[in-house]
Every structure is written in structure tokens, then in C-alpha cells.
Amino acid sequence: MLNASNLKGLLPAIPTPVQRDGTIDAGATRALIEFLLREGVDGIVPLGGTGEYGAMSRAGRRRFAGAVVEAVRGKVPVVAGILDPGYHDALEAARGFADAGVDALMVLTPYYTTPTQVGLRDYFLRLADAAPLPILIYEIPYRTRIAVAPAVLHELSRHERIIGMKACNTDMYHFLQVVAGVDPSFAVLSGEDTLLPLQVAAGARGGIVVTASLLPRAWRRIFEHAANGRIAEALALHRQLIPLMNMAFAETNPGPLKSVLDLVGVDAPTVLAPLVAPDAELQARLRAEVQRQRAALETV
């Protein structure tokens, strides 16, 4: 069973390739996974926000999880996102993803109900006890309006089946407090493309990175510099990606990302309702920037 020692390095948060009718595009899925494996990623994270979890049916999510597992062929861990707002739906999703063969579950903090910190604590403990696979906590308060207190994360990190977290809280002091008190066996992973080198320097073991689906080699270099204490080098490389990140997140992710995936051999630009294709001018600028970045990597 997957444990925290296997959660490190670069884990792209991947989009869900779909056909025009919204069904899973199996060929594009294989192409994306094969590209990322060739580039040396350390894990794959389907079905988060980048994977349009909320726009898919439960059966569609399971099919996509299975397609990713089949394409990965055990070469790296597959961590499936669960973005349901309540316990019973989250547990049902966990069981379905376990049947599909994923290695772990990335569980979003409950939203809309606005639970207390005690409620958050009990929610993750109950899921960890009942779910068939290890759990990563997914904290992203700018989407959910819920932040998990560092003290609660410290306690949860000591549960043997809660093995890590995707940290998307952009408050760096909150991040520093979390890292200072979690169990040594607990893998804190950066969840913000915009903050990865700083969070790795502060103790993250790796990152779940959206734009790594386009530029895994660039993100690998940034991570390795930061993980080995070469912070200035990591920040210099990261600074070069700021224009790309600004464009990739100028409209709701994964619209811009999907519109240029053909540059890595994955022709699947369709997004699911309520998203629509991004502005054509934004697509053109992002396409030019990705091409420029990929060309620069070839000279390194």
C-alpha cells in the first residue's frame, strides 16, 4: 500500500481528455500519460479541479480513473481526487476509485456547509478509518472558504492512513506552521504552481502541479534545484514561467491548459459545462509561450 515515502517529486495534476460529446477520450488519455512518463514524472493526479471532477458523472470519473491506471501500468503512483462535499458521497467515490486500481485518494475539505475545525478533524478521521485506500488532505481555501488549522493538520498527520496533503493555502505563514508540526512520515506537497519553489524550500517533498502537464521537464528542474538547496536557481527558473502561469490561470483552469495540449501530442481541447473554450486571443498567446518555453528546454 502506498505510503508517504512514495509521495515526492513532481506529480502533474492532469486534465481529463474528453471527446466532443463529453465521453472519455481513451486515446488522448494514453497519449498524455505516455508523454508524462517519458518525461520522468513521479506520480499522476487525475480528477482534481484540473480534471473537472464536478462536471463529470460518477461513472465517468471511475472510467477515467481506470483509464489512467491502465495507462500508467504501475510505473508511478496514481492519486485520484475526491471533491464531494459530504462524507457518504466521498466514501462511495473512494470505494469506486479503489476498484479502479488507484493507489491513494486526495480528499477535498468539505465545502458549502462550513464546518468547524472539530468537524473537519472528525470528517477526515472517519474517512481515513472507512476508506479502502490511504488519504491525502486537499486544502484549497480560496475555492472552499475552509482552511484547516495547523494544529488540526498536525493531529491528522499522525493517523497511519492519512499520509500527506496537497497544500494550496497561499498563506505562507500557515504553510510554515503546518510543516513545523506534522508527523515526519507525513508528505506535505505543494499544490500551487505559483509557490512551488518556496514551499519546497520550506519543507514540501514535492508538488502537484497543473502546468507540469505541458512542461514537466521545466518543473522537474525547478523542483530539483529547490530540493537540493539551490533556491536562487530554482527561483530564477520559476520566474521564467510567470508569464505562462499568468496565462494558464487567466480563465478558469483547465480551459487554457486544454486548449494547447496538442503541443504535447494530446488533441483534446473540449471542456465540460459550465466551462467554455477560453478566449481565442488568450489561447494564441498561451500557445506561443508554451512553444517558446519548449524550444528553450531543447537548448539546455
Side-chain angles (χ1 to χ4, degrees):
M1 183 171 289
L2 187 71
N3 58 51
S5 66
N6 305 117
L7 291 172
K8 57 187 177 182
L10 182 62
L11 296 85
I14 64 169
T16 303
V18 295
Q19 302 182 71
R20 290 182 181 273
D21 63 0
T23 57
I24 303 300
D25 187 330
T29 299
R30 284 193 302 273
L32 177 58
I33 298 302
E34 288 169 2
F35 164 70
L36 294 172
L37 292 175
R38 286 196 305 270
E39 294 289 304
V41 302
D42 300 295
I44 301 288
V45 182
L47 294 165
T50 302
E52 297 175 274
Y53 185 99
M56 298 176 68
S57 69
R58 189 174 298 281
R61 295 171 196 150
R62 290 179 182 175
R63 280 195 295 272
F64 185 57
V68 171
V69 168
E70 182 179 353
V72 168
R73 302 189 306 278
K75 293 183 177 180
V76 296
V78 176
V79 181
I82 294 178
L83 276 60
D84 294 291
Y87 174 80
H88 293 289
D89 280 346
L91 181 57
E92 184 179 346
R95 290 169 174 160
F97 291 150
D99 290 342
V102 309
D103 299 291
L105 310 164
M106 183 182 75
V107 181
L108 185 66
T109 52
Y111 50 93
Y112 188 76
T113 51
T114 315
T116 64
Q117 293 297 312
V118 172
L120 287 171
R121 169 191 174 276
D122 289 351
Y123 175 80
F124 282 108
L125 289 176
R126 286 183 66 195
L127 268 178
D129 287 338
L133 293 170
I135 285 174
L136 284 75
I137 297 165
Y138 181 12
E139 189 203 28
I140 184 167
Y142 59 80
R143 285 292 186 95
T144 63
R145 299 189 305 113
I146 295 292
V148 187
V152 173
L153 289 167
H154 297 165
E155 180 180 354
L156 293 174
S157 75
R158 289 164 175 77
H159 191 292
E160 63 180 4
R161 294 175 59 79
I162 302 178
I163 62 173
M165 71 177 292
K166 178 184 180 183
C168 290
N169 193 323
T170 57
D171 180 344
M172 277 299 294
Y173 185 52
H174 179 276
F175 183 86
L176 292 171
Q177 291 180 86
V178 170
V179 172
V182 293
D183 193 84
S185 67
F186 185 82
V188 178
L189 300 175
S190 170
E192 290 294 307
D193 295 31
T194 54
L195 295 176
L196 181 134
L198 297 177
Q199 292 182 325
V200 171
R205 298 188 187 185
I208 298 174
V209 183
V210 172
T211 55
S213 287
L214 293 171
L215 295 169
R217 200 180 314 171
W219 281 106
R220 163 66 65 187
R221 292 174 62 206
I222 292 168
F223 167 72
E224 288 180 348
H225 278 309
N228 289 288
R230 300 186 295 270
I231 307 306
E233 292 91 335
L235 290 171
L237 292 173
H238 187 257
R239 197 171 295 125
Q240 294 175 20
L241 295 185
I242 287 176
L244 180 140
M245 289 185 284
N246 286 343
M247 286 182 264
F249 299 112
E251 292 189 24
T252 302
N253 177 53
L257 173 72
K258 278 189 160 185
S259 74
V260 296
L261 275 176
D262 61 289
L263 294 175
V264 299
V266 182
D267 188 11
T270 300
V271 292
L272 300 171
L275 297 184
V276 296
D279 176 78
E281 189 269 339
L282 173 62
Q283 290 186 44
R285 289 191 296 115
L286 179 58
R287 178 172 297 275
E289 180 62 18
V290 174
Q291 290 171 322
R292 188 184 72 81
Q293 293 283 354
R294 286 175 59 81
L297 285 168
E298 294 301 324
T299 66
V300 176

